[in-house]
Structures are given as structure tokens and as C-alpha cells.
Amino acid sequence: MSAWVLLLVPVLAIAATPSRPGETLIFEDDFNTFDFTKWKHEITQSGGGNWEFEVYVNNRSNSFVRNSILHIRPRLTTEWLGPLDSGSLDLWGGELSDACTGPMMSGCHRDGSPTNYLPPITSARLRTAEAFAFKYGRVEARPPASGCSALLPTGVELGRGKWDSTAAYGNWPASGEIDIMESRGNRNYPASLGGGLDTFGSTLHWGPNGQYNGWSQTHAEYRLPQGADFGAAFHVFGLYWDQLGLYTYIDEPSQVVMAVNFTDASFWDKGNKMYDFVGKHLDNPWEGGPSGAPFDQKFFLILNLAVGGLGGYFSDEAPGKPWRNGSPTAVRDFWQAQKQWLPSWGPGLDAALQVDWVRVWALDGRTDPDTAGWFAQSRPK
């Protein structure tokens, strides 16, 4: 059985996507080296707000460049720390390179106990927040996915508000989040529950607060033909974004996955239809902004590989899932089932998220008829 992942592993090489008319390359990383002026590590065990099972660290056992490929590799915490059912995991650190970046949800310090295990997996989460952010443009990254058990890598993401103290509209999700590519890299994960290795999703997160996140209105999935999976070859995952709307795509901009039009209704109006914001007397965090708010601000890049979690991304209906989302001992249950999931990680670097390159282009809407102003010319049906 294989379960619980989204993994990105290189299988074959293709030529890099060139700039197109009306575009200017403003960010590029081919990972010939690990450029720490571009990428910073998040240091936290906060679980991404979903009580995931990993602790993010800055360690070359978990994140490194090899053969011009970025690797984010999950490891067992016991290789570093020892038993999970006792002792403490303290991430406060003493230097900038190892100081805790996410204190929420006991992210900087936890104590282990026989019922409340410490995070059993170490991994990495990289962001460009301190070095690079942009507003409007085109993004492409080239990772593939491969199947193994117990991982939930979340691929390519644009963040704002979770870590950026200058978030214009407030804390998550009021300042927005753009998930270009998320996937469970699990073989045989039911399509009815969102699919596994053959499927990825794109999502916008937005709302006045976490209780009223309107993501379900701005979510779409792409599924490969039966029998195919994302572990067989590299794919390009892209985003086009301008003041009129945005869309994600796979391999070519013509293969649109999720399209969101900013001009048909504001996000406040979209959410009000779903949640009755007005009737609940909620404040509009985007009041005075354009209809595209909160997606009218600068966003930064995130690459990460997460493990498990209690937020529902892995359904309790999935066959063979070794923990229950509502269980107070979910981490312990997951860890004690490692004979079930660990062999599916495979040998060597099979379980590592791997990324060939990441690029961002700025747009000039006056000169690019094929992409700029896409929503003014070719609205999604």
C-alpha cells in the first residue's frame, strides 16, 4: 500500500521555458547551487496550521542541491532526537539560521509524552519572503511527483499573510494565498477523495478569517488519464496572474487548470453568497480595494514537503489510513504504523521532493496578446 504524499522527483530533462513577448524575467533559480540569498528556511513544528506531523529544520540532510536539482527530503526525527514519547523539542535556536520562525500552535517548543508524541518527521520549507516578492506576472516550476507513503508535499505556492508581517489585509487568509500545485503523492488514493499520484490541485485561500475561508469557490483539480501518474516524467506547473484575474496551468499556458476572474465579482461578494458575511456582521478586510483584492499585493514563493496532518486533506475514508483526523493520539498512531508506510518511501532519494527550476516573469500587458489581459479576451467557460 502507498499512502499520504505529494512528491516531486526528476525523471527526464526538457528545455527550459523561454520568456515570451511582453515578459521580463525577474527571478530565476536553476539550482546549480543552493542560493541562500534567495531561499530561507522556516524553522517550526507548527504543522502548517493543520497539525501536520513534520518539523521544518535547516539541515543539509533534509534540504540540499545535487546535480542541479533541489531536494527536500523527509527523514525520521529519531535519527536526530531520539524517542518521541519523552523529552522536549526546542527550536528557539541561538542564531539567525536556526531561530524559530513560526511560534503558533506550539511551533517553537513541545514536550513529548506517551500519548502526545513529538513530530516524527523532519523536512524543509523554503520561502523567498525575505529576498523576493512580486505582484502580477507568470510563474513556472518544474517538479514531478512520485509515490510513497505518509507524505503530503505541497509543491509550489505563493504566500502572503502567514509569514509576511506587512500583509496588507491582515492575517491568513485575509491577505490571500495562491497554491499553484498541491498533491497527495499516494498511489491508489481514491479519485472520489481528491486523487493521489495522478492528480494535483490549485487553490486560492481568502476570507475575512480562517472560519470563513472561501477556498472551495476557487479550487480546481487536474487528473491524468487512467494508468498515468506524475512520477513518470517532469511537468511544468505554472501561474498567469494580472489585474483582471489569474489561472494555473500544466506544461503549457493553454492547458488551464484553475481560472479565477477578478472582474465578475469581488472576493467579498463571492464570499458573501457562500457565508452571508453581511448577515454575520463581519468586517470587509478588502474595503476600498479593487475587485481582485486580496490578490492585488506582492506575494512570495514557497516550496515545501509536509507529512500527514489533521486538517482533512487526507480523508478518514481513505483505505488503510493509519490515523484518524479527530484522534488525540493521531501522531502516535501514525508513528506506530511505520512498518506500513515507511517501506513505500523507497531507497535513496526516492522520497525527496525534487525541483529542477523556478522562474518568474513580469508582464507588459500592452505587448503580449497571448497571455496579458487573458481574462479580457478569453474568459473561462
Side-chain angles (χ1 to χ4, degrees):
M1 186 205 80
S2 64
W4 338 130
V5 239
L6 144 91
L7 286 177
L8 314 180
V9 181
V11 179
L12 80 103
I14 61 175
T17 303
S19 299
R20 295 182 298 175
E23 297 181 342
T24 302
L25 188 67
I26 56 174
F27 179 92
E28 180 177 27
D29 199 335
D30 293 325
F31 298 111
N32 294 320
T33 62
F34 204 159
D35 190 342
F36 296 103
T37 66
K38 294 178 180 176
W39 302 97
K40 301 296 183 185
H41 286 77
E42 294 179 13
I43 312 296
T44 184
Q45 53 191 319
S46 62
N50 301 305
W51 293 109
E52 295 155 5
F53 303 159
E54 80 286 338
V55 51
Y56 290 129
V57 297
N58 178 5
N59 190 295
R60 298 295 74 75
S61 294
N62 295 104
S63 54
F64 54 91
V65 166
R66 184 176 299 174
N67 298 323
S68 296
I69 300 290
L70 171 68
H71 295 71
I72 299 181
R73 181 186 186 188
R75 304 292 294 265
L76 303 182
T77 304
T78 51
E79 298 174 4
W80 161 47
L81 191 65
L84 304 175
D85 60 355
S86 61
S88 300
L89 180 51
D90 193 322
L91 299 178
W92 286 110
E95 301 178 6
L96 289 176
S97 61
D98 66 358
C100 183
T101 61
M104 70 175 185
M105 300 174 72
S106 304
C108 296
H109 180 93
R110 287 191 194 177
D111 296 315
S113 73
T115 57
N116 188 24
Y117 276 31
L118 297 172
I121 308 298
T122 60
S123 185
R125 180 177 169 104
L126 306 177
R127 69 189 190 203
T128 66
E130 293 84 352
F132 172 77
F134 73 104
K135 172 183 171 181
Y136 305 142
R138 188 165 64 91
V139 183
E140 289 190 346
R142 194 164 74 96
S146 75
C148 73
S149 205
L151 305 179
L152 157 110
T154 47
V156 187
E157 178 181 335
L158 301 187
R160 184 170 184 83
K162 291 190 292 185
W163 305 104
D164 185 356
S165 62
T166 62
Y169 299 111
N171 292 333
W172 188 91
S175 289
E177 176 184 326
I178 304 171
D179 296 331
I180 300 173
M181 183 272 197
E182 290 186 306
S183 174
R184 306 166 191 85
N186 307 42
R187 297 187 187 280
N188 304 317
Y189 193 91
S192 61
L193 300 178
L197 186 55
D198 61 345
T199 305
F200 80 93
S202 298
T203 310
L204 300 186
H205 291 274
W206 50 275
N209 55 55
Q211 182 178 358
Y212 299 109
N213 183 351
W215 71 270
S216 62
Q217 295 189 64
T218 50
H219 172 79
E221 295 173 352
Y222 179 92
R223 183 168 290 113
L224 291 170
Q226 186 173 4
D229 65 60
F230 284 110
F234 267 117
H235 289 274
V236 172
F237 299 94
L239 166 76
Y240 173 83
W241 170 36
D242 68 18
Q243 70 274 17
L244 301 178
L246 62 76
Y247 64 91
T248 63
Y249 59 88
I250 179 170
D251 294 330
E252 296 290 341
S254 60
Q255 298 190 74
V256 174
V257 176
M258 175 190 71
V260 180
N261 191 336
F262 296 167
T263 65
D264 57 359
S266 70
F267 283 91
W268 176 259
D269 290 338
K270 287 180 171 73
N272 189 51
K273 289 180 181 179
M274 182 177 185
Y275 290 119
D276 187 19
F277 291 161
V278 174
K280 292 180 172 64
H281 305 289
L282 300 176
D283 292 326
N284 181 357
W286 314 302
E287 187 174 358
S291 62
F295 302 102
D296 65 327
Q297 303 291 315
K298 288 184 177 182
F299 281 66
F300 57 87
L301 300 167
I302 299 172
L303 298 171
N304 73 293
L305 184 153
V307 180
L310 308 183
Y313 189 71
F314 289 113
S315 171
D316 285 341
E317 297 179 18
K321 180 165 170 272
W323 77 92
R324 307 293 291 180
N325 290 333
S327 171
T329 60
V331 177
R332 184 190 69 181
D333 299 340
F334 165 77
W335 177 248
Q336 292 181 346
Q338 63 178 285
K339 290 183 179 179
Q340 171 185 332
W341 50 260
L342 187 58
S344 74
W345 287 19
L349 299 176
D350 284 358
L353 180 156
Q354 302 182 26
V355 182
D356 190 5
W357 48 258
V358 178
R359 294 187 177 89
V360 180
W361 294 267
L363 301 175
D364 177 356
R366 297 168 299 176
T367 59
D368 185 4
D370 294 326
T371 57
W374 184 82
F375 279 89
Q377 302 172 48
S378 179
R379 299 179 186 272
K381 296 183 169 92

